[in-house]
Each structure stands twice: as structure tokens, then as C-alpha cells.
Amino acid sequence: MSEMTTEGRTRLNRLPEWAALGKHREQLAGTHLRDLFAADPERGTRHTLRVGDLLLDHSKHLVTDETLELLRDLAAATDVAGLRDAMFRGEKINTTEDRAVLHTALRAPRDAVIEVDGENVVPAVHAVLDKMAAFADKVRSGEWTGHTGKPIKNVVNIGIGGSDLGPAMAYEVLRAYTRRDLTVRFVSNVDGADLHEAVRDLDPAETLFVVASKTFTTIETVTNATSARTWLLTGLKAGQEAVAKHFVALSTNAERVEEFGIDTANMFEFWDWVGGRYSYDSAIGLSLMIAIGPDRFREMLDGFHLVDEHFRTAPPEENAPLLLGLLGVWYGGFFDAQSHAVLPYSHYLSKFTAYLQQLDMESNGKSVDRQGEPVDWQTGPVVWGTPGTNGQHAYYQLIHQGTKLIPADFIGFARPVEDLTPGLVPQHDLLMANFFAQTQALAFGKTPDEVRAEGVPEELVPHKTFAGNHPTTTLLADALTPSVLGQLVALYEHKVFVQGAIWNIDSFDQWGVELGKVLAKRIEPVLTGDGAAEGLDSSTAGLVSAYRALRGRE
Ligand SMILES: O=P(O)(O)OC[C@H]1O[C@H](O)[C@H](O)[C@@H](O)[C@@H]1O
């Protein structure tokens, strides 16, 4: 492997800054978080950043001031800031698709100027937001009626991947702000059970389908939308003319939307410079906007923008997305960490980690660099996690006492959601006591001597010892508001960006999802009996044959 990439950039692990980190890692071996805290009584406060409404404590990481300096040196050597500025300027940094990466334009203020191919995209962004707001208001007020004249009571979003996970997650997160008399559901799976369960108790006359697909070619979404149309027209005993009042589309592909039979007047547009997993603050957020109202949606966009500006302008020492990205590079590169847990202490964030899985793993799950050469360093981690207290009674055992290093983000809120939802049981302090206790236990553990001092029999001492030294980030905010959600998502978006920049991979393409799609298209006719099984490997051929036999088709 040569020292240089084809574009003359020194390969990451040949950089002197990388070597310096490797050496530093060796020097740190054997240093425990207990030592770092003992040596510096101010550590907890010194290693805390504030970004908008978020307080970010990174003191419980396996780093010293020197580590952070060396990591920032690496960011400088890999020109993270240069790529960041190119992204914000609208340059085509998604090179394999020759596209700009401008989700930041989706939350830019009206008077901002951001150009793609010489054209300012901000007016178009706001025109769509205004159109969405007008439509959402009409649905919310009952002014928009279905084919039979009834107002809309149910919204069913049909989409998958980025056209599902973002709005579905945000709808859960912001449930306290939603209208209880409006049912909002999300259908993504091509398993017909998903659509069936979503609509079985709904009245078609009161149901609006929001078909969300950037490309409008995604087989799962087109299939579900076609079935939904059949369900609607059968239920209403109506013809194609009923579609206009019950179907809207969110897409970049007007031609396909029209082909499907949705009036392009009912289409909300976005653009190829918005990646699917970066799109829920675009038209893709329409179902969410209907649920929470345009004002709350705009508050969320302001939260995104606040962190965009922070990322763009904060100096490296205070730059939160930079810091989070660097910590991930540190653990992946020098501790061989394979995964990263995100553990929210809020029931409303139950889908947050699932959303982050696409954001992070589809962006940074790459093994060739931007020049197409294989990387020989770790790239994106496996991202996983569920709401914290549930995890405590399930998989935290492995985080505390297993053999793997799992850096984790703990996300919690000071103000209980019961402030917003009167009548909710007041249990917040207990929830948050767990939140604080877990990062403390993970960092400091329990020594054998501490265990012995409790009178534990000697043979049980190793079992009851907690090694500690497990790194965590704590993110604490006042309350789970729309703005805070926007801030959190932007924080993670830019963290992912930083890591992709350092690893020198294209974080904005997703070629790895293509092969399965192509093969599924080839296999489907074999399952139904219209295609020949020739050319299938013996395992797949055997499985397909077993399937056909079980379906009575052999
Ligand atoms: O919005 P769509 O064009 O329907 O795409 C939906 C999803 O499917 C694709 O396969 C990609 O992997 C995702 O990045 C995308 O979000």
C-alpha cells in the first residue's frame, strides 16, 4: 500500500499525527479514569461543553488534554474544516454521485444565500416549507377534506429508510406536542402486515396517505403505496378520481409521482443535494409537520441551524461535533472499539438510535476511501442501543463486565415531560438518578477491595468487581423540545461528517445497498414460478425450492 492516495493525500495511518496518537495510546495504557479524576479535581467541569441548549460532559472519556490536542492535530492534518466549509458552500463533496451535500440549507434562514451550480437554493427551500405549512394547516383545521367531504383524522406515511426513520423517530420524540385527535402512523416494511396493521382500524374516508420517497422508485414504498391505493378505492367504492384528496407525495422525482397517479400539485419537492438519511427536515417531514404544526416544525429547524452554525464557526477546542467525531476515531483507531451505544433516558427517544443507525452506518459503513483504495483503518462503528433503563435490565451487563469496549452516549433531560403532559406519573427523578448512576458506575467501577469491604466471600469477589474505565459522553438538556431535537440530530449529523472526513470516505453515498435490491428483483419471479432458478448458488437454490414447496408451488 503506497503512502499516498491517488490524489496525493497522505493515507490516514501514514500521517505523523496518526503515529503520535498511537504512541500516546501506549503511554496511556494502564491509566484508569479513576486516576485521571483523582489527578484533576476540576476534570468534570473542565471537560464540559455547551452547545445551544445541550450540555456535553466528556470528562468520562479515556483522554487527557494531550489526547484531545493530538486528536485536533489529526483533524487539522486531514483538513476536516476544509471539507466542512466545502459542504456548507454547496460544493459537490459527494464525489461518487457528483452531488452537493446541503442538508444544512434545509434549515438556513430565509435571507441566506447558498448556491448549487450558481443558483441560490434557499428561496426554493422556503417556498416548499411554506407550501408544507399551508397544507399542514389545512389538514389540521379540517379544511382539507377527503373524497367524501370528511375531514382527515388519520395520516399514514409510507416510506422506507430515510423517508421513514426520520419522521417516525421525530413523531415519537415530539409526541407531547402532537394533537391527540389525529392518528399518525408510519408504514415502511414491504411485509404486507405493516400496512395491514396500520390501516385496519381506519376509515378510508378520513385517511391521508403521504407517500415519501426521494427517488419514487423504491420497490417497498411503491408497492405499499399501490396497496394503500387499492385499500382506499375499495373502501370508498370510488375510482381513481378519489386519489387526489387522499394521496400526497414527497419526492425529487415529479415524473414518477405523476406516473403513479398523484397530482404533482400535491407533491412536495426536495432536491438531489439532500441525502435520504439527512432529509427529515425537508419535505420528508410533512407527516411530522401535520402532527406537531408548522410553528413547532420551524422551531426544530432553528435548533438544527443553531448547531450548524456552531459546527461551522466554533473553534476546535469548543466544537462539539468535532469532539464527538474525534472521540469515535480515537476508540475505533486505537482501542479497536467495534460498536457505539446510544442510550437515551427518555421514553420519547425510543426510535432515536434506530434513526442514528441509518445516519451513521449508511454514511460511514465504507471500506474504500474517496479515491477508491481499500482503507486499512476502522471506519464506522455498529451503532446500537435502546432507552436506558430498559437496557439496564438487559444488555448493560455486557457493557459493565463483558470483554468489549463500548463507548456510549447517555442522553437525558432535566425537565420531565410530565410538565408538558399533565397527568403523567411523576417519576422523573428516579429515571435521572439511574442516568447519572450508570455513567458513574461505568467510569469508576468497583474495586476488589471495595467489594471485600462489603463482606463479600472471597470466591465471589471477582464476580462482583466492576473494572470501570468504560467511556461515556453525557448529553443533558433542559427539556425535549422541538429545538432540542433539531440540535441533537444536527450534532450527530456533523459528528458523522467529521469521522467520514478523517477516515477519507464518502459519507454521502450508499452503494452497499444496491446488490441486495438487484438480486431480490431476480429472485422474486423464481418464487412466484415465472422465473428459472438457474444461476442461483446451491444454498439459495435449495432455500428457494423449500419456500416454493411450502407454498405448494413445486
Ligand atoms: O426515499 P427513497 O428514494 O424511497 O429511498 C429510501 C431509502 O432506500 C435506499 O435504499 C437507501 O439505502 C436509503 O438511503 C434511502 O433512504
Side-chain angles (χ1 to χ4, degrees), residues 410-480:
F410 280 67
I411 306 172
F413 302 91
R415 198 144 55 91
V417 175
E418 54 254 36
D419 280 8
L420 296 162
T421 313
L424 210 88
V425 192
Q427 301 176 171
H428 195 68
D429 291 330
L430 178 57
L431 170 72
M432 292 306 284
N434 276 281
F435 175 75
F436 295 118
Q438 285 296 329
T439 58
Q440 193 187 17
L442 285 165
F444 302 105
K446 198 172 185 183
T447 63
D449 284 345
E450 285 167 345
V451 178
R452 275 186 205 105
E454 288 175 353
V456 170
E458 198 53 35
E459 69 274 15
L460 283 183
V461 169
H463 298 278
K464 295 197 162 195
T465 297
F466 287 67
N469 221 23
H470 299 293
T472 58
T473 297
T474 297
L475 281 161
L476 181 66
D478 172 33
L480 190 42

Side-chain angles (χ1 to χ4, degrees), residues 2-15:
S2 88
E3 299 275 310
M4 296 282 195
T5 68
T6 44
E7 280 177 8
R9 175 181 163 134
T10 305
R11 287 177 63 78
L12 176 63
N13 56 3
R14 307 290 196 277
L15 286 169

Side-chain angles (χ1 to χ4, degrees), residues 208-224:
L208 174 75
F209 289 98
V210 176
V211 186
S213 177
K214 179 176 168 179
T215 56
F216 231 79
T217 56
T218 305
I219 190 87
E220 291 85 346
T221 299
V222 175
T223 305
N224 275 324

Side-chain angles (χ1 to χ4, degrees), residues 159-163 212-218 221 270 275-277 284 358 362 510 513-514 517:
I160 197 164
S163 299
S213 177
K214 179 176 168 179
T215 56
F216 231 79
T217 56
T218 305
T221 299
F270 62 114
R277 53 193 174 273
I284 290 296
Q358 188 198 11
E362 201 172 63
Q510 56 285 314
V513 301
E514 295 305 321
K517 289 185 193 174

